[in-house]
Amino acid sequence: MHLSTLRAARVGARLRAGQFPGLIPLLLLAWPGWADEDPWHGTHSHSDGGLIEEVVTTATKKNAAERAQDVAIAMTVLGGEALAERHVTDLQDLSLAVPNVALDGVGTAKGIANFSIRGQGIAGSIPSIDPTVGTFVDGVYLGVNYGVIVDMLDLEAIEILRGPQGLLFGRNVTGGAVLLRSRRPSGESSAQGTLRAETGTEWRLTGSMERPLVEDVLDIRVSGSYRDDAGWFDNQGPGGGAVGAESTWVVRPIVTWTPTDELEITVIHERGDTAADGPATQNRLRLRGFDLALDETGYADVAWRHLIVDARRDVADGQGQITNVFGWREVQHESLTDTDSTPLPLFHYFGDTRQEQISNELRYARAFQGGQEVTAGAYFFSQKIRHRERRLFRDTWGSLFGGDQDHTTVGVFVNADFDLGPDWVLTAGARYTHEEKDVRVATSGQPACFGPTRRCPVDFEDGDAWRNVTPKIGVQRWFGEHAQAYAHYTKGFRSGGYNLRNTAPNVPPGPFHEEAQDSFEAGLKSELADGHARLNLAVFHNQIRGMQRQVLTFDPVLGGVQVTANTADATIQGVEAEVAAALGQSGTLSAFVGYTDGQYDRVRYDLTGDGSNVGDEKLQLPRLARLTWGVEATYARPIGPRGHLALRVALTHRDPSAFSDDNTAMLNGGEMLDMSICFSPNDALEFTLYGRNLLSERLWVADVDLGAFFGSTFSPLREGRVMGLEVRAFR
C-alpha cells in the first residue's frame, strides 16, 4: 500500500490547490472583449434561417476544403459551435453521438482511449498495441492511445471518418479516423470566454484571444482552460469521500505567418496536465445504481505537450498546393487503480507509461483541367515507448516489469480522381508502407526494475519489419447538383507487433502478425427541398483476417494475464442512415441509426480458456454494439426586444456489447437524454442551462469479471445525471 502514499498526497494537494501555471493571467488578458467567429458554422449566435447547416472537410487532403456532402466517405463533421452546444469536454462526451461509433476510454485510468468504429476496436491499455481507430490532432497522428482523451478547447471542427482510411492516413486506421482541428487565427482582433459550473461539483473556465501582430503578415491566437472537478461519485469504502476528483489545465498558442500571398506557416504548441483520482469502479455483482466501495481511490497523472508546424504553399496559379506537416509530441502517464473494486487490498494496478514521437508528412495536391485531381505524398513517423507496471495481489506488491519499444514507419501514397464525364468520377490510389519495431521486454516475475529510470533486466529482445500496399478504387455518380452515390473497395492493415505487458512466462510477447482487412462500402448523400433536408445512407462489408485481440485470463498466482494474438477471421457488415430537416424558420430535426452485424468465420485461438477453440465461433465479437440510434431537435428564435432563445433536446441509444473475448464481461447499453435552454440578451452574451444523462442511465466504460477470484467485477462507471449552467461572452 505504501506505493501510492506520497504520489496520491501530491496529486491530492494539486487538486485542492488548483494548480494551473500561467493560465489565469492568460484568461484575465482575454477578458476585456469577447468574440467567436466560426468559419465552419457562422457566428456564435443561433441561426433561425431555416436551412440545414453546411459543413466542410479537409479529410481528403486536397488543395482546398470540400463540402462534406460532396465527399465519397461516410463521415460526421461537428463544427466548433456544434461542440459548444453539446458542452463537449473531451472525445468521450461524443461516445453515443455518431452511428456505429463508440469513443470510450479504457476505464482503468484517465486519458486512455479504447475507440471502436463499426465493431472494430481494442480493449486494453498495452501501449505497444496499435489502435484500430486513428486519432489525428491538426494533421498529426497520435501513436499511442495514452493521452488521447484529454480536455479539448477552441476547436474548429471534429471529423469522424467511418471505415478504413489507410490510403491517406496510413496503417492502423482499419476502423476509422477521428480528426481534431484547432481554431486558427483569422487575421482580426477578437476574444471569447466561457464559465461553466456543473453538479458534481465541477467548474470550468475557458478563454481565447487573437490579434494581428503585423497586419496581413503575422497573427496570433492563444487559448486556455482550467477545470476543477470535486468528484461526482461517493465512496462507501474505508475513509469514504468523493471519487472522480480532477484538475486539468491546457494552454495552446498558435502563430500564423504569411510572408507572401502564396505561403502560410502555422505553428501550434499545446501543453496540458491532468491530476485526477483513479476510476470510479463498481462491483456490479454486489452493488447497484452508482454505489461503489473502494479501499484505494487511486490516481492518474497525465502530462502532454506537442509542437506542430504546418506549412502550405500555393502553386500552379492556385490550382495546386504543397503542404508539409511536422509534429512532435510527448506524453507521460502514471496511474494507480483499485482493480478488484472492493474495500479490501486484493488486486491493485500501478502503471507508468512514457511516449515521445516525431513525424513529418510532405504532400502535393493539384487540380487539373478536365476535372482530374491528384494528391501524392511521403510520410515518416518514429516513436519511443517506455512502459512499466506493478501489481498488488492479495495485499502484496510484486516487482516492476514492462518493456521499451522503438517504432519507425515510412510510407508514400498517391490518390487521383478522374472525371469520366459530366456525372461520373473514378477514384484510384495506393499507399506503400515499411514499418519496423524493436523491443526489450522484462517479463513479470523476473528481477525487479530499479533506479530513477526504472531500467529493467531484459529477458526478451527482438525486432521485426512489415511491408504492404494499401490500394483503393471507387466510383462516384452524381444525380444533379444535390445528390451523389458512391462505392469503393479498399484494403487495410493493422500493424504486427509485440506485447510490452508480458505476464505469461511461457508465452513469448511476440511478434504477432498483421491484421488484414478487405472493405467494401457504398453510400448515398442527398440534399432535398432546396437545402431544407438532407439524407445520407451507407452500407459496408468488411472481411478481417488475423484479427488481433488482447485475450484476458486470470491466474491465481499471476493475476490478470493478457496475451496478444491473431485470434480469428471475421466478417462485419452493416448500414448507417443520417437525416436532417429544417422545420420552418426556427427549428431543426435530425436523426441517425446504425446497425452492425458481425460473426467469426474461423477461430484460431482458445478464446474461452477451456483448452479448446471448438465452438468459440459462436461467441459475440467484442465491442460490437448491434444498434445505435439518436434523435435531436432544436428550436431557436428571437423573443422580441428581449433577446434570443434556443432549445435543444437529444436522445441517443447504444445496444449492449461483449467486452471480453470469452463474453463473460459485457458493456451494458442504454439511452442518454440531454437537454439545454439558451438565452442571449444580445450578441455579446449567452446564458445556458443544460442537463446531461437526465435519465441517470448507469453505463460502464469497461467490464472485467473477477468473480472466480475476488467475488467482484472491474466495472468503471460513467457519471449519472449532471446539471450545468454556462455563461459565454463575446465581443
Side-chain angles (χ1 to χ4, degrees):
M1 300 293 292
H2 64 279
L3 178 69
S4 65
T5 305
L6 292 177
R7 183 61 168 169
R10 184 171 72 84
V11 172
R14 291 175 59 193
L15 288 168
R16 291 188 296 272
Q19 294 182 12
F20 41 101
L23 185 58
I24 285 296
L26 165 67
L27 297 178
L28 292 177
L29 285 173
W31 190 259
W34 309 100
D36 186 12
E37 297 294 331
D38 187 346
W40 297 63
H41 283 265
T43 65
H44 69 274
S45 60
H46 295 271
S47 172
D48 54 8
L51 296 177
I52 302 300
E53 284 184 315
E54 187 67 79
V55 293
V56 298
T57 177
T58 59
T60 54
K61 297 188 177 182
K62 295 182 178 179
N63 65 314
E66 298 181 281
R67 294 192 333 137
Q69 282 295 107
D70 295 344
V71 176
I73 300 174
M75 64 188 307
T76 298
V77 181
L78 297 171
E81 194 60 30
L83 297 172
E85 290 175 353
R86 290 165 172 78
H87 308 285
V88 173
T89 299
D90 57 41
L91 285 170
Q92 194 165 230
D93 290 335
L94 298 173
S95 192
L96 276 72
V98 182
N100 290 330
V101 172
L103 303 181
D104 293 328
V106 68
T108 53
K110 172 73 178 178
I112 307 174
N114 269 190
F115 294 166
S116 175
I117 295 180
R118 292 179 172 175
Q120 296 191 64
I122 62 174
S125 57
I126 302 174
S128 56
I129 307 302
D130 295 305
T132 59
V133 177
T135 304
F136 298 79
V137 175
D138 291 308
V140 174
Y141 171 68
L142 306 188
V144 295
N145 55 358
Y146 284 70
V148 172
I149 302 179
V150 294
D151 283 17
M152 306 178 302
L153 76 153
D154 204 22
L155 291 181
E156 205 168 63
I158 294 178
E159 304 176 40
I160 302 175
L161 316 183
R162 302 188 290 276
Q165 309 295 327
L167 172 58
L168 294 176
F169 294 96
R171 291 164 44 124
N172 308 320
V173 193
T174 53
V178 179
L179 317 180
L180 285 73
R181 180 175 173 82
S182 303
R183 195 187 307 271
R184 316 226 174 164
S186 65
E188 300 180 359
S189 295
S190 64
Q192 67 89 21
T194 301
L195 177 62
R196 186 173 79 189
E198 293 183 351
T199 54
T201 303
E202 175 182 329
W203 65 273
R204 187 187 192 205
L205 179 65
T206 65
S208 66
M209 60 177 297
E210 67 169 284
R211 58 170 296 179
L213 300 179
V214 179
E215 193 72 26
D216 297 327
V217 176
L218 190 64
D219 301 286
I220 185 171
R221 185 178 184 94
V222 182
S223 306
S225 72
Y226 173 72
R227 181 166 62 92
D228 184 83
D229 187 349
W232 192 91
F233 300 90
D234 183 29
N235 183 16
Q236 301 177 12
V243 177
E246 179 179 340
S247 173
T248 296
W249 61 265
V250 185
V251 176
R252 184 200 303 135
I254 302 179
V255 176
T256 297
W257 179 40
T258 312
T260 68
D261 292 340
E262 293 79 25
L263 178 62
E264 179 181 274
I265 300 174
T266 300
V267 180
I268 304 171
H269 175 62
E270 180 174 297
R271 185 168 183 176
D273 186 277
T274 292
D277 285 345
T281 178
Q282 181 185 66
N283 177 3
R284 61 173 172 79
L285 299 180
R286 300 187 180 183
L287 298 174
R288 296 292 180 265
F290 294 92
D291 295 337
L292 50 90
L294 309 173
D295 67 299
E296 174 60 77
T297 303
Y299 68 85
D301 196 2
V302 189
W304 72 96
R305 53 180 177 165
H306 64 240
L307 177 68
I308 299 171
V309 181
D310 184 326
R312 300 169 185 264
R313 183 178 183 86
D314 291 336
V315 295
D317 295 326
Q319 298 302 305
Q321 188 175 82
I322 299 173
T323 302
N324 192 87
V325 181
F326 167 84
W328 169 85
R329 181 176 172 89
E330 179 182 64
V331 175
Q332 299 181 12
H333 190 287
E334 188 175 301
S335 64
L336 178 66
T337 302
D338 188 339
T339 310
D340 59 79
S341 311
T342 73
L344 298 174
L346 300 177
F347 184 25
H348 297 172
Y349 167 86
F350 166 79
D352 181 4
T353 300
R354 308 194 176 194
Q355 180 253 10
E356 184 176 9
Q357 68 174 68
I358 187 171
S359 65
N360 195 83
E361 179 174 280
L362 174 64
R363 64 179 184 266
Y364 174 72
R366 172 76 186 273
F368 295 90
Q369 291 184 352
Q372 281 70 37
E373 295 184 87
V374 176
T375 300
Y379 179 74
F380 170 82
F381 172 86
S382 178
Q383 69 174 346
K384 294 181 180 295
I385 302 172
R386 194 199 76 174
H387 177 71
R388 302 290 184 268
E389 62 183 76
R390 191 178 183 184
R391 300 178 177 188
L392 176 144
F393 199 58
R394 301 190 187 280
D395 207 19
T396 301
W397 279 103
S399 60
L400 280 166
F401 65 97
D404 304 315
Q405 176 174 282
D406 295 334
H407 175 196
T408 301
T409 299
V410 294
V412 293
F413 59 91
V414 60
N415 185 65
D417 291 342
F418 302 96
D419 192 345
L420 301 182
D423 301 320
W424 292 88
V425 177
L426 174 68
T427 298
R431 185 185 189 105
Y432 170 79
T433 303
H434 175 86
E435 188 167 20
E436 296 181 358
K437 294 182 179 179
D438 297 292
V439 297
R440 298 162 297 283
V441 179
T443 302
S444 174
Q446 301 297 314
C449 308
F450 59 90
T453 61
R454 292 174 176 160
R455 301 187 64 178
C456 296
V458 172
D459 64 297
F460 178 89
E461 189 169 359
D462 195 23
D464 208 340
W466 297 267
R467 304 174 183 85
N468 60 61
V469 174
T470 306
K472 180 177 181 178
I473 186 166
V475 64
Q476 189 176 22
R477 170 73 159 90
W478 283 91
F479 303 93
E481 297 182 1
H482 303 293
Q484 55 110 344
Y486 67 89
H488 60 72
Y489 160 79
T490 186
K491 192 177 186 67
F493 292 92
R494 186 160 160 240
S495 173
Y498 297 86
N499 179 3
L500 294 184
R501 179 180 294 155
N502 192 29
T503 54
N506 298 325
V507 179
F512 47 85
H513 301 300
E514 287 183 324
E515 176 184 287
Q517 174 177 297
D518 291 303
S519 177
F520 303 86
E521 181 179 310
L524 169 70
K525 293 187 175 183
S526 61
E527 293 178 325
L528 310 170
D530 295 327
H532 287 74
R534 182 179 298 155
L535 172 64
N536 294 341
L537 301 171
V539 295
F540 58 91
H541 179 89
N542 300 330
Q543 294 179 311
I544 307 160
R545 298 182 303 280
M547 177 178 283
Q548 293 174 14
R549 294 295 305 165
Q550 300 170 52
V551 182
L552 175 64
T553 59
F554 275 86
D555 184 275
V557 177
L558 300 174
V561 177
Q562 284 180 286
V563 175
T564 304
N566 300 92
T567 61
D569 301 336
T571 298
I572 299 176
Q573 54 198 356
V575 60
E576 296 156 355
E578 295 175 284
V579 61
L583 305 179
Q585 294 296 308
S586 302
T588 64
L589 180 66
S590 61
F592 70 80
V593 62
Y595 178 80
T596 304
D597 178 68
Q599 59 278 326
Y600 289 113
D601 300 323
R602 174 190 175 195
V603 175
R604 309 177 183 181
Y605 191 89
D606 178 14
L607 298 178
T608 60
D610 62 359
S612 171
N613 61 357
V614 176
D616 287 359
E617 68 278 359
K618 298 178 181 179
L619 294 168
Q620 297 181 37
L621 293 177
R623 302 193 72 84
L624 188 153
R626 285 184 178 271
L627 181 65
T628 56
W629 57 260
V631 60
E632 176 181 315
T634 66
Y635 178 82
R637 63 172 300 169
I639 50 176
R642 290 180 293 275
H644 193 279
L645 187 69
L647 306 175
R648 176 182 177 270
V649 58
L651 179 66
T652 57
H653 166 88
R654 185 168 72 194
D655 271 4
S657 62
F659 183 78
S660 62
D661 291 81
D662 61 6
N663 291 183
T664 59
M666 303 292 291
L667 289 177
N668 61 337
E671 288 78 37
M672 297 284 284
L673 176 63
D674 299 343
M675 297 181 67
S676 66
I677 178 169
C678 176
F679 172 66
S680 305
N682 51 54
D683 290 338
L685 200 60
E686 286 183 355
F687 300 91
T688 304
L689 178 66
Y690 63 92
R692 292 200 306 267
N693 192 9
L694 290 174
L695 301 177
S696 208
E697 191 80 65
R698 181 180 65 162
L699 296 177
W700 299 310
V701 179
D703 187 53
V704 179
D705 190 348
L706 305 171
F709 296 95
F710 310 122
S712 180
T713 67
F714 173 75
S715 306
L717 291 163
R718 294 184 59 155
E719 292 181 345
R721 183 183 297 110
V722 171
M723 300 298 297
L725 176 64
E726 181 177 271
V727 181
R728 301 176 67 192
F730 315 85
R731 184 174 173 180

